[in-house]
Amino acid sequence: MYVSEIPALRDYWYPVAYSSDLTDAPRAVRLLSDNYVIWRGEGGKVACAVDECPHRAARLSQGWVEGGDIICPYHGWAFNGSGACTRIPQNDPDKPIPPRARTLPMLVEEKYGLIWVCVGMPREDIPLLPELEEGGFTLIHEMMEVWDTSAPRVIDNALDISHVAWTHRNTIGDSNASQFESFEIFRDGHDLSARISYRARVTEALRKNTGLTGDYTIRVTNSQLVQPLMYKDVMEYENGLRHVLYKTATPVDDSHTLFCQFIARNDNPDAEKVAGIVALDRRIQSEDKELLAGVRPEFPLDMQTEMHTRADRMTVEYRKILAELAAENSDVTPDEAWARPFLASVKAQRSPR
């Protein structure tokens, strides 16, 4: 399955840039294989449109902004945030602007220091994150970068807590403690969550970031699939620390993902501590990034394509949720069309001798 094969994924909100990065100039963004442009319109309100002038198809993101209007670099046509053309320099001043001279605007909002875009009909609002609404937590933006993998692979990796002991053995994992201390999973429709506890090493970097003193800790994670391509995890530590992790996987196209991670902490960290937290989290995510770059971007929906264990219950349910979204209105390429080597070996093992 590719993300382009599930139209329902267009109906969710995705972060495409930091609010602070959008200043006076327009910015090109790419979402679900299509090109868009964002800019600050009248009064500083963010605007978004298909990145193509209706006149001669020039990229509006190569233009500039005047008085809240985006100016096409090819012939100087100007468009406001609602898509209407406000100026055609080549026309006589008394000639009306044709109604068809307009861009195709997209839904765009700012929240939590991010610019979010929806290119379909929203099924839900931008996720409401209680820790950032109620106070008592510090918001820390950690990274936004393009990964060479598909968006479902990113979220599947986040839901897969069992990989921590191995993929992150050089940062926070403990490969001598592969099994969970406890594992509860809950699903209601497309709401999916789990409460998992496992042993983790307390490295010097983690000791500075958390205030823990031992060599190991029992980390409790409260994982949640917020939306099909957004993940949240409330990590609980024995000293009362809450490290809330948010991961979003904006699908650039079928094989590239704009990965965004931000966190919330309840320990009011100072600047030095924040720097240490971000540095460690970036090291951890670089391990995931390197591993996922080697995994094929196609995502399996058939439960027989891959092997599963009890530790994989969370990611099995995730596959079922994506399969349900795909079944609404799309024709997904069967797994066997791309997973032939593995499936062939499975069939061979099952064949009577």
Side-chain angles (χ1 to χ4, degrees):
M1 179 276 294
Y2 284 118
V3 289
S4 61
E5 296 179 314
I6 304 184
L9 293 176
R10 300 177 66 85
D11 300 335
Y12 294 91
W13 291 89
Y14 301 104
V16 296
Y18 290 123
S19 292
S20 58
D21 287 342
L22 189 63
T23 54
D24 299 331
R27 183 184 180 99
V29 298
R30 188 166 169 81
L31 178 59
L32 288 162
S33 298
D34 290 321
N35 297 316
Y36 301 94
V37 59
I38 55 175
W39 75 96
R40 292 207 174 275
E42 187 176 3
K45 183 176 174 58
V46 66
C48 178
V50 171
D51 194 8
E52 184 172 301
C53 180
H55 178 218
R56 289 294 183 269
R59 295 287 294 272
L60 294 172
S61 59
Q62 294 178 340
W64 58 93
V65 178
E66 289 181 1
D69 291 351
I70 191 167
I71 312 301
C72 177
Y74 203 176
H75 297 93
W77 290 28
F79 303 90
N80 64 22
S82 66
C85 182
T86 60
R87 184 185 69 194
I88 299 178
Q90 294 78 17
N91 276 11
D92 294 333
D94 60 345
K95 194 176 183 84
I97 294 174
R100 289 183 58 234
R102 44 183 306 115
T103 61
L104 184 60
M106 293 292 140
L107 296 173
V108 59
E109 297 288 344
E110 291 186 80
K111 197 171 185 66
Y112 306 129
L114 299 167
I115 296 174
W116 303 70
V117 170
C118 178
V119 296
M121 295 295 292
R123 298 181 178 220
E124 303 174 19
D125 294 332
I126 295 172
L128 188 68
L129 307 176
E131 294 82 6
L132 301 180
E133 299 286 340
E134 299 168 1
F137 282 80
T138 301
L139 170 63
I140 303 171
H141 285 289
E142 294 192 317
M143 68 195 77
M144 182 182 289
E145 57 190 26
V146 175
W147 285 15
D148 292 332
T149 188
S150 63
R153 290 290 188 187
V154 172
I155 300 303
D156 186 63
N157 169 268
L159 293 168
D160 176 19
I161 304 299
S162 66
H163 84 279
V164 173
W166 296 94
T167 305
H168 304 303
R169 62 193 180 279
N170 295 320
T171 49
I172 57 171
D174 179 8
S175 57
N176 293 315
S178 296
Q179 296 186 350
F180 299 139
E181 298 280 331
S182 63
F183 187 1
E184 299 175 280
I185 184 171
F186 314 94
R187 183 182 169 191
D188 181 12
H190 290 175
D191 294 331
L192 177 64
S193 61
R195 184 173 173 85
I196 303 170
S197 63
Y198 60 95
R199 193 177 81 173
R201 286 191 304 118
V202 181
T203 61
E204 183 60 27
L206 192 62
R207 189 171 290 112
K208 290 180 180 179
N209 292 348
T210 62
L212 298 173
T213 56
D215 294 328
Y216 296 92
T217 183
I218 299 300
R219 180 185 290 122
V220 179
T221 71
N222 299 275
S223 300
Q224 179 187 359
L225 182 67
V226 179
Q227 289 186 356
L229 296 176
M230 181 173 182
Y231 167 85
K232 173 186 175 183
D233 186 6
V234 181
M235 299 182 187
E236 301 176 2
Y237 289 94
E238 59 215 44
N239 61 357
L241 173 65
R242 297 294 181 268
H243 180 105
V244 187
L245 180 67
Y246 306 97
K247 298 184 181 185
T248 65
T250 299
V252 175
D253 53 35
D254 284 334
S255 57
H256 297 89
T257 301
L258 182 64
F259 174 75
C260 177
Q261 179 166 299
F262 54 105
I263 65 171
R265 296 266 296 212
N266 69 339
D267 58 344
N268 192 28
D270 59 21
E272 181 179 358
K273 194 171 188 179
V274 166
I277 293 167
V278 172
L280 177 59
D281 280 355
R282 290 188 68 88
R283 282 184 58 202
I284 294 167
Q285 291 314 305
S286 69
E287 294 168 336
D288 283 328
K289 180 181 180 180
E290 181 179 0
L291 184 139
L292 291 176
V295 177
R296 61 167 71 242
E298 297 97 331
F299 193 77
L301 296 183
D302 188 331
M303 293 303 113
Q304 303 304 314
T305 300
E306 298 174 322
M307 300 286 292
H308 306 291
T309 70
R310 283 182 56 80
D312 300 319
R313 284 177 288 164
M314 191 75 160
T315 53
V316 166
E317 292 302 320
Y318 181 51
R319 284 156 173 71
K320 292 178 181 178
I321 289 172
L322 288 184
E324 290 168 7
L325 287 173
E328 291 180 4
N329 57 359
S330 62
D331 185 16
V332 172
T333 303
D335 290 359
E336 62 184 15
W338 55 266
R340 287 174 182 167
F342 177 76
L343 291 176
S345 66
V346 172
K347 289 179 181 178
Q349 294 171 14
R350 293 176 178 172
S351 299
R353 297 179 183 273

